[in-house]
Amino acid sequence: MTMQNKPVTSASEPTAFKFEWSMISRHGGVVALIAILLFNILITPNFLHPQTLFVNISQVATIAIVAVGMTLVIATGGIDLSVGAIMALSGALAPLIFTSPFAEANPELGLALSIVVPILVALACGVFNGALVSLLNVQPIVATLIFFISGRGIALVLTNGNLQTFTNPAFSYLGTGKILGFPFQGYLVLIIAACVWWVMAFTVFGRQLLAVGGNERAAELSGVPVKRVKIGAYVICAGLSGLAGLIVVAINSASDAARIGNLMELDAIAAAVVGGTLLQGGRAPIFGAILGAVIIQLVKYTLLANGVADEVALIAKAGIIVLAVYVQQARKE
């Protein structure tokens, strides 16, 4: 009689269960998105109305842009809690610039400066965060907590804590414009995601960034400029956060330093993790972060549209992070 070899399985974890769990961990985000979409199509009134879709795309754009930057930082094994404060600072600077006497006398130059200067300031904030982490070896959560606290304070000082309202159609186009009926910021998200994905897939910097997150010591011994790579990740994240702050201000035609970017760090981290970014680093699924951002926004919209309090939406987002981390750990085992 011929003996057939059978795969060895654990008594406590059958093969069928392992396969099923693997499928869930790899495709859970897509399944969750489909489930949320079906629920809203069937239950939520006016979900497919063009205005509802426009609002959701507008809201998800800022989360997605910041989530792409957060993905790079987490891929290095770090974290950035300052993204919301950077959004507030960027959003405070723009109206101050294009409503200044100089900008009113030179409207085109003023408009350009109101976009370029805030993003340059945001990039400088990223250099500050990255330098603390890389050069001074400050823990990322502590290093970025510094600007999490001080960044919004600087924005409030610049605006005297006042709400800045304005009428500037050219600047507002950044948040309310449409091309072929699709929101302008939606195109920005796709362009940014494609560019960052290309950098991660086809450039030395992308490979070095993943190497740093995978094993920093081994990367350093292999000649990877670990400090520069880390600073680069924080700079990109901060720059994208600055752009997101401009979009929020453009959408509302107003800047409120006390509110812009509030809890964005939670949304961005949740989107990155749900999209498959490993908290220990070494992986940067850029389009996964976009998928995660869509899920986070739709969860919030679904709860609010069906009469659930905003506070419950915060709990739901925290629960999503816990679930995503649990799935990651279970997949590793």
Side-chain angles (χ1 to χ4, degrees):
M1 181 180 295
T2 303
M3 298 296 292
Q4 295 182 346
N5 293 329
K6 294 183 179 181
V8 179
T9 59
S10 169
S12 59
E13 190 174 16
T15 303
F17 176 79
K18 290 181 70 176
F19 172 78
E20 182 178 321
W21 184 257
S22 174
M23 293 295 290
I24 292 174
S25 63
R26 292 179 182 177
H27 307 292
V30 176
V31 173
L33 177 60
I34 293 173
I36 296 171
L37 288 174
L38 288 176
F39 176 86
N40 280 292
I41 291 171
L42 297 174
I43 303 297
T44 305
N46 301 317
F47 176 69
L48 295 179
H49 191 278
Q51 184 59 33
T52 300
L53 295 177
F54 182 87
V55 169
N56 274 310
I57 293 173
S58 300
Q59 294 294 326
V60 80
T62 52
I63 300 174
I65 290 172
V66 180
V68 168
M70 185 69 75
T71 296
L72 298 185
V73 171
I74 296 177
T76 67
I79 201 79
D80 192 344
L81 299 182
S82 68
V83 292
I86 292 174
M87 288 178 63
L89 179 57
S90 174
L93 285 171
L96 289 176
I97 293 172
F98 65 65
T99 58
S100 66
F102 171 80
E104 290 178 353
N106 306 272
E108 293 183 357
L109 179 59
L111 177 63
L113 290 176
S114 68
I115 296 174
V116 173
V117 171
I119 292 180
L120 289 177
V121 171
L123 293 173
C125 297
V127 173
F128 175 79
N129 288 337
L132 289 179
V133 173
S134 300
L135 304 181
L136 300 182
N137 295 318
V138 179
Q139 288 291 330
I141 194 170
V142 176
T144 56
L145 184 63
I146 294 173
F147 208 83
F148 169 85
I149 298 170
S150 62
R152 193 174 298 278
I154 295 172
L156 289 168
V157 169
L158 289 174
T159 61
N160 293 319
N162 297 323
L163 174 70
Q164 303 177 86
T165 59
F166 59 87
T167 302
N168 189 317
F171 183 84
S172 295
Y173 186 86
L174 186 64
T176 60
K178 295 181 182 180
I179 300 177
L180 300 176
F182 190 76
F184 175 72
Q185 64 266 38
Y187 290 102
L188 279 180
V189 170
L190 295 176
I191 293 171
I192 290 169
C195 290
V196 175
W197 172 83
W198 183 87
V199 168
M200 295 304 298
F202 299 106
T203 69
V204 173
F205 173 79
R207 292 191 292 271
Q208 290 177 339
L209 188 146
L210 296 180
V212 169
N215 189 321
E216 182 175 329
R217 180 58 178 163
E220 189 172 22
L221 292 174
S222 300
V224 174
V226 173
K227 290 181 172 58
R228 290 208 304 266
V229 169
K230 282 188 173 182
I231 292 174
Y234 283 95
V235 168
I236 294 172
C237 184
L240 292 178
S241 299
L243 175 60
L246 296 181
I247 292 174
V248 172
V249 171
I251 290 173
N252 298 314
S253 292
S255 175
D256 185 354
R259 296 178 61 86
I260 292 176
N262 267 345
L263 300 178
M264 178 56 76
E265 53 281 342
L266 173 62
D267 287 344
I269 294 170
V273 174
V274 169
T277 304
L278 301 178
L279 287 175
Q280 62 268 33
R283 190 179 179 204
I286 302 303
F287 287 101
I290 305 300
L291 174 65
V294 174
I295 291 174
I296 295 301
Q297 169 58 26
L298 285 180
V299 167
K300 179 180 179 180
Y301 170 81
T302 302
L303 293 174
L304 295 179
N306 288 279
V308 180
D310 192 34
E311 293 79 4
V312 178
L314 294 177
I315 298 173
K317 284 187 282 189
I320 289 173
I321 297 177
V322 173
L323 179 60
V325 172
Y326 175 74
V327 169
Q328 288 184 6
Q329 294 300 318
R331 185 177 178 181
K332 288 168 56 181
E333 295 174 356

